């Protein structure tokens, strides 16, 4: 069974025939032969030929998915080798997750990278992916999540300065900047770890139609606080609250795997550690660069004020995109 979001297939196949920005049942039904041909040609299991297929549509919390169930009467003497190239031409960040149930064994998980030329062989003894697979995906997810990174950068812009009645002044030592950053990073990590676990295990769920615009709002508010202090010294608490929202944005990678508790916990731990490693890379590079620039006379005007206004503009545009289904930015 192959499940792909219709919004992703629309990018590859242009399913929206009338170009009105909405997919109708009639458009999807007309495009089903193209969808099936595309998936058959971009997902191969070595040694197997598909003899029958069944088409399904499934509504999930993050949208509608096309599902193609394919049968084969092949007999494999070794673990299956999968060649997966879905969306390779249009989205280099796309990844697939294969869940294989082999006779007499536990489920097998494998992250599939369409950009790699080599096929992937699933080992039957593996209950969850090798220790680096979901860890790498966590790092990639945070570094490629431009909205999460921009939110962090908004929090970091004033980290090397102190604001008092006379205005902004640079910190004298790196430690003065790192302690507040540590508090912010800890609050963000703790918060998004909580909601990531709850959402990925389906104990709590909120639709992307709410979460994605809400993440854009957190960027706008974090940037606004740099210009006019609206949080009034409670930035760590506010970061924790906003981190709860961002955690829902991370959860889609794991929520559809239907894993056994032990395998799910292992995959979730790997993914969360990867998120934190990626986050520390962002924080380390940003704080080092900002600390080197803090002595510049125009730092408050150019970096804090200018950077915050630019972030606010991007956050507003993302909010409009995510509520009105428009495309205003390339990211």
């Amino acid at each position: 069974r192959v499940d792909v979001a219709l919004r992703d297939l629309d990018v590859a196949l242009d399913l929206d025939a009338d170009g009105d920005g909405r997919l109708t049942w009639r458009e999807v039904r007309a495009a089903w032969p193209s969808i099936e041909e595309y998936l058959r040609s971009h997902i191969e299991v070595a040694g197997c030929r598909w003899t029958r297929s069944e088409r399904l549509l499934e509504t999930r919390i993050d949208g509608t998915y096309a599902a193609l169930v394919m049968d084969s009467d092949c007999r494999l003497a070794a673990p299956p080798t999968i060649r997966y190239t879905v969306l390779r031409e249009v989205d280099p960040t796309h990844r697939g997750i294969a869940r294989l149930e082999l006779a007499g064994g536990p489920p097998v998980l494998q992250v599939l990278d369409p950009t790699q030329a080599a096929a992937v062989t699933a080992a039957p003894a593996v209950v969850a992916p090798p220790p680096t697979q979901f860890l790498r995906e966590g790092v990639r997810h945070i570094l490629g999540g431009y909205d999460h990174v921009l939110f962090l950068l908004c929090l970091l812009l004033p980290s090397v300065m102190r604001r008092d009645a006379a205005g902004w002044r640079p910190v004298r030592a790196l430690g003065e900047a790192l302690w507040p950053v540590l508090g912010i990073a800890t609050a963000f990590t703790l918060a998004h770890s909580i909601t990531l676990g709850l959402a990925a295990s389906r104990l709590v769920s909120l639709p992307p139609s709410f979460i994605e615009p809400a993440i854009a709002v957190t960027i706008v508010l974090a940037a606004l606080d740099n210009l006019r202090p609206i949080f009034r010294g409670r930035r760590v608490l506010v970061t924790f609250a906003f981190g709860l929202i961002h955690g829902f944005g991370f959860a889609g990678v794991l929520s559809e795997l239907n894993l056994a508790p032990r395998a799910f916990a292992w995959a979730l731990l790997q993914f969360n550690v990867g998120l934190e490693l990626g986050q520390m890379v962002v924080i380390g590079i940003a704080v080092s660069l900002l600390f080197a620039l803090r002595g510049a006379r125009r730092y408050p005007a150019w970096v804090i004020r200018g950077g915050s206004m630019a972030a606010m503009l991007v956050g507003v545009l993302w909010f409009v995109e995510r509520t009105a289904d428009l495309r205003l930015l390339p990211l």
Side-chain angles (χ1 to χ4, degrees):
R1 172 169 168 154
V2 183
D3 298 65
V4 184
L6 286 179
R7 64 179 181 275
D8 293 332
L9 288 171
D10 184 38
V11 175
L13 301 175
D14 196 16
L15 307 181
D16 184 12
D18 59 12
D20 66 351
R22 294 177 297 178
L23 284 176
T24 65
W25 164 237
R26 176 176 294 182
E27 288 172 329
V28 174
R29 184 172 57 185
W32 256 118
S34 299
I35 294 173
E36 179 168 348
E37 180 182 359
Y38 179 82
L39 294 179
R40 281 175 174 265
S41 63
H42 286 75
I43 302 172
E44 303 174 13
V45 177
C48 292
R49 183 177 62 86
W50 307 120
T51 57
R52 188 185 71 85
S53 62
E54 179 184 1
R55 301 168 181 176
L56 304 169
L57 282 179
E58 189 171 285
T59 301
R60 301 180 183 173
I61 190 171
D62 60 340
T64 303
Y65 280 66
L68 188 65
V69 181
M70 299 183 288
D71 292 339
S72 177
D73 56 4
C74 61
R75 294 279 188 265
L76 300 177
T81 298
I82 304 170
R83 186 173 299 279
Y84 181 88
T85 56
V86 173
L87 301 179
R88 181 173 62 180
E89 305 89 349
V90 295
D91 183 5
T93 68
H94 172 74
R95 296 294 184 273
I97 300 178
R99 182 180 188 270
L100 299 95
E101 295 186 19
L102 307 178
V108 177
L109 291 183
Q110 187 72 50
V111 175
L112 305 175
D113 183 350
T115 63
Q116 294 190 359
V120 175
T121 299
V126 179
V127 177
T132 59
Q133 279 211 356
F134 273 115
L135 187 146
R136 288 200 306 269
E137 287 306 301
V139 173
R140 187 185 66 83
H141 199 72
I142 186 71
L143 296 181
Y146 302 115
D147 46 3
H148 305 297
V149 171
L150 186 56
F151 173 73
L152 283 173
L153 290 178
C154 286
L155 298 176
L156 297 176
L157 289 180
S159 64
V160 295
M161 306 290 285
R162 291 294 175 268
R163 182 162 46 187
D164 52 30
W168 292 99
R169 58 178 178 80
V171 298
R172 289 172 294 181
L174 183 59
E176 291 183 58
L178 287 180
W179 280 113
V181 168
L182 180 61
I184 288 171
T186 301
F188 187 65
T189 295
L190 180 60
H192 77 62
S193 297
I194 291 172
T195 48
L196 170 61
L198 292 175
S201 58
R202 299 186 180 183
L203 295 176
V204 178
S205 63
L206 291 174
S209 59
F210 171 79
I211 292 300
E212 295 303 320
I215 289 175
V217 171
T218 66
I219 295 170
V220 173
L221 293 178
L224 180 61
D225 185 61
N226 293 337
L227 303 175
R228 184 184 298 272
I230 59 175
F231 300 152
R232 302 190 181 281
R234 297 186 292 270
R235 178 162 276 216
V236 172
L237 293 177
V238 173
T239 299
F240 180 86
F242 287 174
L244 295 174
I245 297 173
H246 283 251
F248 285 103
F250 295 133
V253 178
L254 301 174
S255 60
E256 299 295 339
L257 292 182
N258 297 318
L259 297 175
R262 181 178 177 183
F264 174 79
W266 178 230
L268 179 63
L269 176 62
Q270 293 178 51
F271 187 74
N272 204 39
V273 169
L275 288 175
E276 304 323 315
L277 290 177
Q279 179 177 298
M280 294 311 297
V281 169
V282 172
I283 290 174
I285 294 175
V287 172
S288 298
L289 179 61
L290 295 175
F291 185 76
L293 296 173
R294 78 195 189 286
R297 185 171 60 89
R298 302 293 294 172
Y299 184 98
W302 290 358
V303 179
I304 298 180
R305 190 173 302 117
S308 297
M309 292 179 67
M312 285 180 65
L313 175 61
V314 173
V316 169
L317 292 176
W318 271 335
F319 180 81
V320 173
E321 282 188 339
R322 296 170 183 188
T323 54
D325 195 22
L326 297 175
R327 186 71 171 176
L328 302 174
L329 295 173
L331 301 178

